[in-house]
Amino acid sequence: NFVENPNATTLKTNLHLIADIDMENTPMMPLCYGYGFAGNLNGHDFVFKNINITVDNAYGPVGLIGTLGGTQASTIQNCGIASGVINVTGRPRYKASYMSIEDTGDRVGGFVGKGYYQNTLIRKCWNGANLFVENIGATAGIIADPRNYAIVDSCFNVGTMQKRVYGIMGYADNKGKLFNSMSGAAADGVLVDKARTNASDVAQNIVNISGVI
């Protein structure tokens, strides 16, 4: 089961796309929702089309893949999301001092909600899906929470977003690294969450066509 399996811990496998995949707007949960994908996904320049990820009362990170990594460094590369929507409603439960709204702290990314192993890599990927969220901690075109030194390289986002959004990468205080990436759609006008970024670890060779870092 590649979709929702709350009783699992980590799925270890390698996946290769051999053609474009049309999801036909069929409502679905994130791949490996509730646990981690630990392996490699190589899209070979093919794309997912017409995705429709809808999650109410989210209890974990959401994206095409909820959590990337978990028990080993993992990779997504050479892959695109050409079209579709990601609709997520979180469960309000706390309000930190820097937040203007209550939210779950859960994350929503076009490709990945959260990276969870050192040197987990997203390379040469792009997102064209539109993200709509309520009660969510952060939203980003590629990865919302690059925890434990996740790396994003040569990626771009053209999907539209709303509410606490970052063009490519969200909570970069978790020492994510960002290279050679750009975004044409970030409502807050930023590529990466600057307020929570360690500048010595993040933002090298960045191209941002939507605003300032």
Side-chain angles (χ1 to χ4, degrees), residues 10-49:
T10 302
L11 173 67
K12 297 181 179 180
T13 191
N14 295 314
L15 303 174
H16 296 266
L17 299 188
I18 59 173
D20 293 341
I21 298 179
D22 190 345
M23 307 302 289
E24 299 180 339
N25 293 308
T26 301
M28 60 176 284
M29 300 295 283
L31 303 180
C32 300
Y33 185 53
Y35 59 111
F37 173 76
N40 301 288
L41 168 60
N42 192 329
H44 298 283
D45 297 324
F46 293 111
V47 301
F48 293 91
K49 299 188 291 186

Side-chain angles (χ1 to χ4, degrees), residues 27-207:
M28 60 176 284
M29 300 295 283
L31 303 180
C32 300
Y33 185 53
Y35 59 111
F37 173 76
N40 301 288
L41 168 60
N42 192 329
H44 298 283
D45 297 324
F46 293 111
V47 301
F48 293 91
K49 299 188 291 186
N50 301 314
I51 68 169
N52 182 0
I53 295 174
T54 301
V55 182
D56 293 323
N57 295 315
Y59 60 80
V62 174
L64 180 66
I65 294 175
T67 300
L68 180 64
T71 60
Q72 66 187 48
S74 303
T75 301
I76 302 176
Q77 61 183 333
N78 308 316
C79 190
I81 300 174
S83 59
V85 295
I86 299 177
N87 289 289
V88 184
T89 301
R91 295 175 292 180
R93 64 172 180 245
Y94 70 80
K95 182 177 179 180
S97 60
Y98 58 84
M99 293 178 179
S100 59
I101 60 171
E102 293 185 356
D103 65 70
T104 64
D106 291 329
R107 325 299 192 216
V108 178
F111 264 94
V112 175
K114 179 172 68 176
Y116 206 78
Y117 203 87
Q118 187 167 344
N119 295 325
T120 284
L121 174 66
I122 305 174
R123 171 178 287 160
K124 294 184 178 179
C125 293
W126 65 279
N127 173 57
N130 300 320
L131 279 61
F132 303 96
V133 304
E134 293 287 345
N135 301 324
I136 292 295
T139 308
I142 300 297
I143 179 171
D145 187 350
R147 192 175 298 270
N148 293 341
Y149 297 88
I151 300 167
V152 176
D153 182 24
S154 303
C155 295
F156 68 92
N157 172 68
V158 293
T160 61
M161 297 176 287
Q162 59 179 216
K163 296 186 179 180
R164 300 192 67 200
V165 303
Y166 310 99
I168 298 293
M169 177 186 291
Y171 289 157
D173 61 331
N174 289 316
K175 297 187 182 296
K177 295 187 177 182
L178 179 61
F179 301 87
N180 306 309
S181 297
M182 64 183 182
S183 176
D188 290 349
V190 293
L191 191 69
V192 63
D193 183 356
K194 182 179 179 181
R196 307 187 68 195
T197 293
N198 183 335
S200 65
D201 289 317
V202 185
Q204 301 180 48
N205 304 318
I206 293 176
V207 176

